[in-house]
Amino acid sequence: MKNGFHSAQFLKTTPQGVPKVKLSSEEFASKLLDRRWALPSPDTKIHQIMLSQARVRDRGGPFGNRSMLNNTQPSFVDDMVSKNDQNPSFYIVRDDLLHPFVNGNKARKLDGLLPIIEDHSVTDVVTCGGCQSAHAAAVAVSCAERGLKSHLLLRGEQPEILTGYNLISTMYGNVTYVPRSLYANREKMLQTHANHLVSSNSGHVAWFNDIFESSFTTQTSSSFVQMDANRSAENSPRKVAILNEGAGDAAALLGVIRLVWYLSQNHLLGKERAMRFVVDAGTGTTAVGLGLGALCFGISFSTMGNKSDTSMFDEPPRIASQNSSLINA
């Protein structure tokens, strides 16, 4: 509401008299999607894993005694879905194929976030994460692709051998290893690094959330002065944006909501077919984005609860089916 979505048509009053946003409004949803995105399209591959009833030699595990078929081009036509219901199956949303180095979960979080950074002529991005942070690696690669400098504060000590996301972060970004005692106060750590080591106290530093809020209005953020000079010009002041760990800022929800819009199209999963979503989520940003997306586009769901970093969104039991879809992060 503070950011401009406060028109009376988006509000309704609760029994307690507190107004709240009507997230199912099509106009509200169109406002969320009417923006520039980092990904050229919201498309993603959807695979169907079919479990055959024919038993095979037990290979161990919950499905060790059943054969599995990976259908890379499933049909979502009603008669085909009914036919497939004869055997248990589930779908996998292959967001891991979006980019060779960027985790699919992180690519969705950065989808709506990166264009805002570019629109505000940011030159440097400061963020943090664990030693093998997929978020830090995604920021490093994405910034490098756009000519931005990334500064990654990684928790703990530098490993003797660089591997995985830690290696990617080092290749594409400026990595600093931070003792756990300092990392415990993330806000102070990020602010100090941005002010003293990146901008050298002569540039402009702002938290991304402040930039995001200012993008909804014509006013310039008081802590982020707009400059006409080209951001790559020599001796020009740096413009530094601080991004929370794991891209946990509100703008990170936009890309996930866009994914829900794509999946809910009639030629794909649609809005009428009962589906159960199993989501691998750490901070919960992806799971929250899926829930908000469902509300925005009028898709009903109920929360089944969390188990070991896994969030499940399920249709009401009365219309539950065997079909499941797993968001591959």
Side-chain angles (χ1 to χ4, degrees):
M1 293 169 62
K2 178 175 64 174
N3 292 334
F5 294 130
H6 54 266
S7 172
Q9 69 184 98
F10 295 140
L11 301 179
K12 63 180 179 180
T13 302
T14 65
Q16 293 77 21
V18 180
K20 66 178 182 179
V21 179
K22 291 177 62 176
L23 290 176
S24 60
S25 166
E26 292 184 4
E27 187 173 354
F28 178 82
S30 67
K31 284 180 177 289
L32 291 179
L33 297 176
D34 185 18
R35 62 181 63 250
R36 196 163 64 87
W37 301 94
L39 295 173
S41 75
D43 298 17
T44 188
K45 297 289 185 180
I46 303 177
H47 291 181
Q48 182 183 25
I49 308 299
M50 304 181 67
L51 306 178
S52 173
Q53 297 290 355
R55 293 185 174 274
V56 297
R57 188 177 64 179
D58 195 339
R59 298 184 298 272
F63 303 107
N65 61 347
R66 294 184 181 276
S67 62
M68 303 176 69
L69 173 65
N70 181 14
N71 181 6
T72 60
Q73 294 182 321
S75 174
F76 297 99
V77 179
D78 289 340
D79 57 344
M80 291 297 296
V81 172
S82 299
K83 181 179 179 181
N84 291 336
D85 277 348
Q86 297 174 5
N87 290 324
S89 68
F90 59 91
Y91 300 101
I92 300 181
V93 179
R94 296 298 306 274
D95 269 4
D96 57 313
L97 301 178
L98 292 176
H99 194 284
F101 297 137
V102 178
N103 173 293
N105 177 290
K106 310 308 176 189
R108 292 294 177 184
K109 289 183 178 181
L110 297 176
D111 193 14
L113 190 152
L114 287 172
I116 298 173
I117 287 179
E118 291 181 302
D119 291 344
H120 284 74
S121 301
V122 169
T123 60
D124 299 75
V125 176
V126 177
T127 192
C128 63
C131 185
Q132 287 288 353
S133 170
H135 159 72
V139 170
V141 172
S142 300
C143 285
E145 291 176 342
R146 291 162 174 77
L148 306 175
K149 292 184 178 180
S150 61
H151 307 267
L152 316 172
L153 305 182
L154 302 185
R155 182 180 62 251
E157 303 77 25
Q158 178 177 343
E160 293 184 6
I161 301 177
L162 305 182
T163 60
Y165 285 129
N166 181 259
L167 175 60
I168 294 176
S169 297
T170 305
M171 292 171 59
Y172 287 89
N174 301 301
V175 171
T176 299
Y177 295 93
V178 180
R180 289 171 172 78
S181 58
L182 297 179
Y183 194 94
N185 191 340
R186 291 170 179 76
E187 182 173 342
K188 181 180 179 180
M189 173 192 69
L190 289 166
Q191 190 76 57
T192 300
H193 191 86
N195 286 333
H196 300 304
L197 299 181
V198 179
S199 71
S200 301
N201 295 316
S202 62
H204 305 279
V205 177
W207 288 84
F208 176 80
N209 270 339
D210 294 333
I211 303 174
F212 184 47
E213 289 189 13
S214 69
S215 69
F216 286 96
T217 68
T218 56
Q219 300 176 355
T220 301
S221 173
S222 59
S223 60
F224 218 55
V225 180
Q226 295 286 345
M227 298 183 297
D228 294 329
N230 187 293
R231 67 185 180 200
S232 62
E234 187 176 359
N235 298 325
S236 64
R238 313 300 297 173
K239 295 187 70 175
V240 185
I242 302 176
L243 188 61
N244 281 322
E245 181 178 22
D249 301 277
L253 299 171
L254 296 173
V256 186
I257 293 174
R258 187 189 186 203
L259 171 62
V260 174
W261 171 81
Y262 171 75
L263 295 176
S264 66
Q265 296 181 85
N266 291 332
H267 69 286
L268 295 174
L269 302 184
K271 298 181 180 180
E272 304 300 327
R273 186 179 297 119
M275 301 292 294
R276 172 182 297 148
F277 282 85
V278 180
V279 186
D280 179 15
T283 61
T285 304
T286 302
V288 171
L290 289 171
L292 289 176
L295 290 175
C296 287
F297 302 110
I299 305 171
S300 63
F301 71 93
S302 61
T303 303
M304 297 297 291
N306 302 325
K307 292 184 179 179
S308 301
D309 288 346
T310 299
S311 301
M312 298 179 64
F313 291 89
D314 190 13
E315 293 286 352
R318 57 186 174 82
I319 56 173
S321 73
Q322 292 181 339
N323 286 333
S324 296
S325 180
L326 187 148
I327 303 296
N328 193 315

